[in-house]
Amino acid sequence: MKKLGFGLMRLPMLDGEIDIEQVKQMVDLFMERGFTYFDTAYGYHGGKSEVAAKIALVDRYPRERFQLATKLPAWTARDAEGARQMLYTSLERSGAGYFDYYLLHNLGDKRTEVFENYDLWNFIAEEKKKGTLRNVGFSFHDGADALDKILTQHPEVDFVQLQINYADWESNIIQSRRCYEVALKHNKPVIVMEPVKGGALANMLPEVAAPLAAYNPDASQSSWAVRFAASLPGVMMVLSGMSNLQQMDDNTSYMQDFKALSEEELAVIDQVRDLLSKTDHVPCTSCSYCTKGCPMQINIPGVFDALNTQKMYNNLERAKGNYGFATGKGGKARDCIGCGQCESVCPQHIHIIDMLKVASELLD
C-alpha cells in the first residue's frame, strides 16, 4: 500500500449534507494515483461517512482493490450489546462485507475501561476468526505510559493508530514521540492520524512557515507535515482528512512517489518547531500539579493546550474543539473561583487565574 490514507472525517459539504459527487471525484483521483486505504468511523458525520464510503467507493470499485477501515466508539454505547451492534451497523451502512482494518475507537483515560468492561477485545478477536475483520487494533488519545499498559495487556493487536505530527513531537500532552516509541517497543505498525494537526500545520502564520517557503516555495505546508509522519520508521500509513479535490490533488501529488525527508529537510522542520515554541503561548508543561487540588476540577493543562492552539496557529475552530474535549467531564475555564491553589504549586509560575479568564473569553 502507498502510505497515504483518505480520512473520511472532514468530507466536503453542500447545503448541509455530504457533497457526494465531489467525494466520488476525490475517490477516483485517489484510486487513479494508486492509493487504496480509506478510513472512516461509526460516528463520523453522524454515521453518514460510512454511507458515503458505500456510495462513492464500495458500490463503484471491486472490493479487492481497496482497504477500508472503521472504528467502534464503545464509550457512546449504553451496554455491551449496543457496542457490539455498532460493528454490524457499520457493515450494513458501508456494504463492505468485511473490514480490512478495524479499530476500537479513542482509547485513553477512563474510556479504556469501557472496552474491557464490555469484553470487546474478545469480541473483535472472534470476529477476526470469522473473517469479518482482517486486522484489529485501536486508536489512542492519551500518554505513553497508558499506551504501554494497553499494549502489554493486549499483545494480540495488529496495529495502533496514534496522533503524530512534528509540532506535537515533544508535547507533554500529546506525547507524539513517546507514544511512537512505545509502539515500536511493542513491534506494532503505526497508522498516523492528525499529521497536519487538524489543519493547523497547513495554515501557519507566515513568519513561522518562512523556513518552509524559503527551502521549497512550491511545497505546501501540509506536505511537510504529512511527509514528516510518513518518514518515520514503522509507520505503515498516514491519514489525511481531505475536504476538497484540491487537497486531494496536492496530497497525492507528492505522496504518489513518496520520498522520505532528508536531513536538510528535517533541519528545516526543526527551525519551524523552534519558531512555534517562541510564539506567544502559555508555557504549560502539563505536570498537572495544578489540577490535583482544584475544587472546580478544571483540566487546566487541557484548557491551556486549547488556548495555545489559537495563540500559536490562529485556529479558533480547532481550539474550541480541543477545549470541548478537555473540559467535557470537568469544570470550564469560567468556573474558576480564583482560590489560587493552582498558582501556589505551578513550577512555571504561570498566572493561571488570569490565563483561565483569557481562555474563558475566547473559548467558553
Side-chain angles (χ1 to χ4, degrees), residues 137-241:
F138 61 92
S139 61
F140 180 79
H141 288 276
D142 204 342
D145 291 342
L147 177 62
D148 189 47
K149 181 179 179 181
I150 294 171
L151 289 176
T152 299
Q153 292 176 337
H154 296 284
E156 73 274 13
V157 299
D158 300 306
F159 66 97
V160 62
Q161 187 162 304
L162 302 175
Q163 184 174 335
I164 294 176
N165 59 71
Y166 67 76
D168 291 326
W169 190 239
E170 297 296 347
S171 165
N172 291 298
I173 294 178
I174 307 300
Q175 299 184 9
S176 282
R177 177 185 58 78
R178 289 185 59 202
C179 287
Y180 164 73
E181 290 174 349
V182 167
L184 291 190
K185 184 183 79 170
H186 288 271
N187 297 310
K188 300 302 177 185
V190 174
I191 296 175
V192 172
M193 56 183 165
E194 302 288 0
V196 194
K197 197 174 171 65
L201 300 181
N203 298 285
M204 291 184 292
L205 299 171
E207 58 269 29
V208 174
L212 306 181
Y215 187 88
N216 186 351
D218 297 325
S220 64
Q221 292 181 26
S222 59
S223 71
W224 286 87
V226 172
R227 289 181 61 218
F228 171 84
S231 297
L232 295 169
V235 167
M236 61 170 282
M237 186 62 56
V238 179
L239 304 176
S240 178

Side-chain angles (χ1 to χ4, degrees), residues 15-45:
D15 298 328
E17 296 292 334
I18 294 173
D19 183 355
I20 197 65
E21 293 306 315
Q22 186 172 180
V23 174
K24 288 179 181 178
Q25 294 177 34
M26 295 169 73
V27 167
D28 290 346
L29 181 58
F30 192 71
M31 296 285 284
E32 177 185 317
R33 293 185 175 177
F35 300 92
T36 59
Y37 191 97
F38 296 81
D39 172 88
T40 182
Y42 178 87
Y44 289 174
H45 289 279

Side-chain angles (χ1 to χ4, degrees), residues 93-161:
R93 286 173 179 167
S94 66
Y98 62 89
F99 291 114
D100 302 273
Y101 292 83
Y102 195 69
L103 299 87
L104 301 182
H105 193 188
N106 194 11
L107 272 68
D109 198 29
K110 294 182 180 179
R111 298 180 302 278
T112 302
E113 299 174 7
V114 177
F115 297 90
E116 298 286 353
N117 294 340
Y118 290 170
D119 197 27
L120 293 176
W121 299 98
N122 286 326
F123 171 66
I124 61 173
E126 288 300 317
E127 292 294 335
K128 184 180 178 183
K129 289 179 183 177
K130 295 176 185 176
T132 311
L133 311 175
R134 300 293 174 85
N135 299 277
V136 296
F138 61 92
S139 61
F140 180 79
H141 288 276
D142 204 342
D145 291 342
L147 177 62
D148 189 47
K149 181 179 179 181
I150 294 171
L151 289 176
T152 299
Q153 292 176 337
H154 296 284
E156 73 274 13
V157 299
D158 300 306
F159 66 97
V160 62
Q161 187 162 304

